[in-house]
Amino acid sequence: MSGTFTKSMARNIFYGGTVFFVLLFLALSFDTMKELPKRDNRANLTESVINGKKLWEVNNCIGCHSLLGEGAYFAPELGNVYPRRGPEFIKAWIQAMPTGAPGRRQMPNFGFTDQELDDLVAFLKYSSEINTANWPPNIEG
């Protein structure tokens, strides 16, 4: 092998690296698509869960809260709030906001109806049942 780096050597490294990473990308994509049905809880999607997700998005809950590690960290993680607190606590908490306690961050009162609260709780329950490989690591989010 000569001491110079030729164009053909560079081309072979480029093509070899490209093929390697395309194959790696395809293998990881295939593995992800194979694993998702086991982990994503799609069997439990209901109309109520879908409506709760719409409420979550329309009211920009992720602007303050995180869900399964995604979102803002201004307010608590809600990926496991359902098993931690239960449906009645969640509804009461949302309805009681803002509390007016001085020096505390306050959640706005969105004026949800009982049906909207049920839908939002259904969405949080659905989210808590997704196999997240034990995320968040802290039970309190």
Side-chain angles (χ1 to χ4, degrees):
M1 186 166 154
S2 70
T4 60
F5 193 68
T6 65
K7 284 184 179 181
S8 70
M9 293 168 94
R11 184 178 53 244
N12 290 341
I13 290 171
F14 170 77
Y15 287 137
T18 300
V19 168
F20 172 78
F21 284 107
V22 164
L23 290 174
L24 179 64
F25 173 76
L26 291 173
L28 290 173
S29 296
F30 175 76
D31 182 61
T32 299
M33 296 308 292
K34 187 180 77 168
E35 291 297 318
L36 271 179
K38 299 176 195 170
R39 298 184 63 171
D40 68 4
N41 198 24
R42 67 181 71 178
N44 293 330
L45 268 176
T46 63
E47 196 64 35
S48 185
V49 171
I50 292 167
N51 291 338
K53 172 72 161 113
K54 286 178 186 172
L55 284 169
W56 174 267
E57 291 174 354
V58 168
N59 292 287
N60 192 28
C61 298
I62 207 154
C64 295
H65 293 278
S66 58
L67 185 67
L68 307 178
E70 294 293 323
Y73 291 97
F74 182 74
E77 160 72 38
L78 297 181
N80 61 3
V81 72
Y82 188 87
R84 283 188 293 137
R85 302 289 189 243
E88 297 309 315
F89 177 88
I90 296 168
K91 290 180 203 176
W93 183 265
I94 292 171
Q95 289 174 323
M97 291 295 123
T99 61
R104 292 203 54 186
R105 295 180 276 191
Q106 299 290 301
M107 185 171 128
N109 188 326
F110 293 102
F112 292 136
T113 66
D114 288 339
Q115 182 59 50
E116 289 173 329
L117 283 171
D118 290 339
D119 292 344
L120 194 54
V121 167
F123 170 67
L124 293 172
K125 179 180 187 290
Y126 169 83
S127 299
S128 73
E129 294 170 345
I130 294 172
N131 179 356
T132 61
N134 297 322
W135 180 263
N138 179 349
I139 189 65
E140 286 299 321

